[in-house]
Amino acid sequence: MRAPKAKIDLSALRHNLATVKQLAPASKIMAVVKADAYGHGIQQISLGLEQADAIAVACLKEAIALKNAGISNPVILLEGFFGEKEFTQTLNNGFETVIHQEEQLQLIESYENRREYSEFLTVWLKLDTGMNRLGLNPEEFIDAYHRLKSSSLVKSIHLMSHLACADDITNSMSSRQVEQFKKVVKEINTQKSMANSAGIIAWPESHFEWVRPGIMLYGSSPMLGLKGVEHGLKPVMTLESEVFAIKHLKAGDSVGYGAIWKAPADTVIGVVAIGYGDGYPRHAKVGTPVLVGGKRYPLVGRVSMDMITIDLGADSEVKVGDKAILWGEGLAVEEVADWAETISYTLFCGITSRVEYEYYD
Ligand SMILES: *Cc1c(COP(=O)(O)O)cnc(C)c1O
């Protein structure tokens, strides 16, 4: 049996949810579990987020997975529905949906005569305040609001927008986006939402009635140059495997594909059963730390599909079967992400189905 395992700490998840509540005490929490709960397992994570006021996913398929898991929190589709089939499925399952474009408004209007759907739908009308990805422009927004308001299908309308640069406290774009949002929605007395994790941490003026944490629930910081622990968060995922072979190298011997690293002196190499086939980043550079027995050892040579090699040093006592931690407890995922020139989000989302998941409390 191969050793790679993602251990998921559900009490850390609840701790992080409580941390969100402390940071945004006046707001309700829409916990974001898209992309298989950022690679943590959508069903178990959502069951662990019972205390969240709502759960948000990207698409219908993810929402249905929640329904099948018996989740009772309200579920919100962040990208809305695509086409009529998804629209009726959204209605029939009682999901809430983001509305961000004209086609969706027209579909809603085309169901006016369907009495069975009367006052059925809760929508989140999305304003584009500068992200220029999803959302209506300010000129279209108020008109869209009134169209929804007069629809017999619609039960409630909430308003939302999304921040583009909230991870950077030196960037004034977030303040401009908040001002723009406030300006456009000021006449409308309903619930509003803007803040992702970075907004929750760094931009209190973006909190409004609902916050939408994603990455911070999993214990990682969204902020440039910071780690989750610095916001009082705890890592939910610990990715671990085992040293399954030991090699003795002479000075000048190389390791792995491309022979990109040569031992500067006689040393011992540990081979760890994890590779890009498990989601460990192939671009992790020589020097990326790996934790064995509480000690850090540098990755040397290239990451292969099924294994990596670490330099244990000439008189190491590490032996075959010793546990190796790739990130999580004792080794911040943000640090590994830096070494691989990426962000924690992609490391989490990249874990493949070959890795075993173990949930504990
Ligand atoms: C993914 C997402 C979030 C959560 O973002 P984090 O940076 O992970 O906190 C919030 N809102 C929307 C619309 C999203 O798509």
Side-chain angles (χ1 to χ4, degrees):
M1 200 177 93
R2 285 185 84 248
K5 197 182 283 173
K7 289 191 167 171
I8 308 292
D9 181 351
L10 294 171
S11 65
L13 177 73
R14 287 195 304 273
H15 166 88
N16 297 337
L17 184 66
T19 306
V20 173
K21 196 73 209 169
Q22 279 169 11
L23 287 166
S27 305
K28 290 189 188 176
I29 299 175
M30 182 193 298
V32 181
V33 301
K34 61 193 178 190
D36 200 24
Y38 294 46
H40 290 64
I42 190 169
Q43 299 195 336
Q44 291 88 338
I45 290 293
S46 301
L47 289 168
L49 290 170
E50 209 184 2
Q51 299 297 316
D53 300 287
I55 307 260
V57 292
C59 58
L60 192 71
K61 187 177 169 199
E62 294 174 337
I64 287 168
L66 292 183
K67 184 129 195 182
N68 292 340
I71 302 298
S72 54
N73 320 47
V75 173
I76 293 141
L77 304 172
L78 289 175
E79 291 180 1
F81 48 85
F82 297 83
E84 183 166 5
K85 183 159 173 247
E86 285 206 5
F87 179 49
T88 55
Q89 283 180 288
T90 301
L91 288 168
N92 292 336
N93 284 293
F95 299 143
E96 303 184 9
T97 179
V98 168
I99 300 294
H100 58 84
Q101 62 188 347
E102 176 62 26
E103 288 76 4
Q104 296 172 315
L105 287 162
Q106 287 176 9
L107 250 175
I108 292 175
E109 287 170 341
S110 73
Y111 271 55
E112 274 311 306
N113 52 351
R114 301 280 292 270
R115 276 167 192 280
E116 70 270 34
Y117 293 130
S118 181
E119 291 202 22
F120 230 68
L121 192 61
T122 294
V123 297
W124 294 77
L125 184 62
K126 187 163 190 177
L127 175 69
D128 187 352
T129 51
M131 182 79 166
N132 284 317
R133 197 179 56 176
L134 293 188
L136 298 164
N137 297 327
E139 315 80 72
E140 309 162 320
F141 190 79
I142 298 296
D143 178 54
Y145 174 77
H146 288 297
R147 282 165 68 189
L148 289 169
K149 192 84 187 153
S150 63
S151 163
S152 64
L153 245 68
V154 175
K155 183 167 64 186
S156 23
I157 310 172
H158 303 161
L159 309 180
M160 69 181 287
S161 188
H162 197 52
L163 297 166
C165 303
D167 57 336
D168 179 359
I169 51 166
T170 67
N171 193 321
S172 61
M173 182 156 181
S174 298
S175 303
R176 287 199 305 277
Q177 287 190 272
V178 172
E179 286 317 308
Q180 165 82 336
F181 187 50
K182 281 186 179 163
K183 195 171 120 197
V184 176
V185 306
K186 71 172 182 297
E187 311 276 288
I188 307 175
N189 182 22
T190 183
Q191 298 180 27
K192 302 173 185 84
S193 175
M194 199 167 195
N196 53 6
S197 298
I200 292 164
I201 290 167
W203 307 93
E205 66 270 39
S206 72
H207 288 180
F208 297 99
E209 286 79 14
W210 283 86
V211 291
R212 309 193 302 266
I215 195 73
M216 69 186 295
L217 292 174
Y218 309 100
S220 174
S221 175
M223 306 306 295
L224 292 172
L226 294 181
K227 299 191 179 96
V229 286
E230 292 167 84
H231 315 299
L233 302 169
K234 293 182 179 169
V236 174
M237 178 193 292
T238 294
L239 181 67
E240 64 172 50
S241 189
E242 267 177 32
V243 175
F244 75 108
I246 300 267
K247 268 317 236 196
H248 293 263
L249 263 59
K250 292 272 173 247
D253 287 349
S254 67
V255 171
Y257 287 121
I260 62 162
W261 183 83
K262 287 190 177 65
D266 293 2
T267 192
V268 177
I269 294 295
V271 187
V272 179
I274 194 107
Y276 62 82
D278 305 295
Y280 192 83
R282 181 172 177 276
H283 293 102
K285 289 197 281 279
V286 168
T288 307
V290 174
L291 212 56
V292 182
K295 246 187 97 179
R296 288 160 166 252
Y297 297 96
L299 175 82
V300 292
R302 273 198 194 135
V303 172
S304 309
M305 188 185 286
D306 312 310
M307 55 195 112
I308 58 172
T309 39
I310 58 178
D311 185 6
L312 299 172
D315 33 52
S316 159
E317 286 171 9
V318 171
K319 39 187 201 318
V320 167
D322 282 2
K323 193 166 85 179
I325 291 179
L326 290 318
W327 64 67
E329 199 61 59
L331 179 58
V333 66
E334 294 90 349
E335 193 178 340
V336 179
D338 278 349
W339 280 97
E341 291 182 1
T342 185
I343 54 176
S344 60
Y345 297 71
T346 68
L347 296 187
F348 289 151
C349 289
I351 301 288
T352 68
S353 58
R354 191 161 80 171
V355 174
E356 296 254 355
Y357 281 72
E358 188 181 301
Y359 295 85
Y360 66 100
D361 219 323

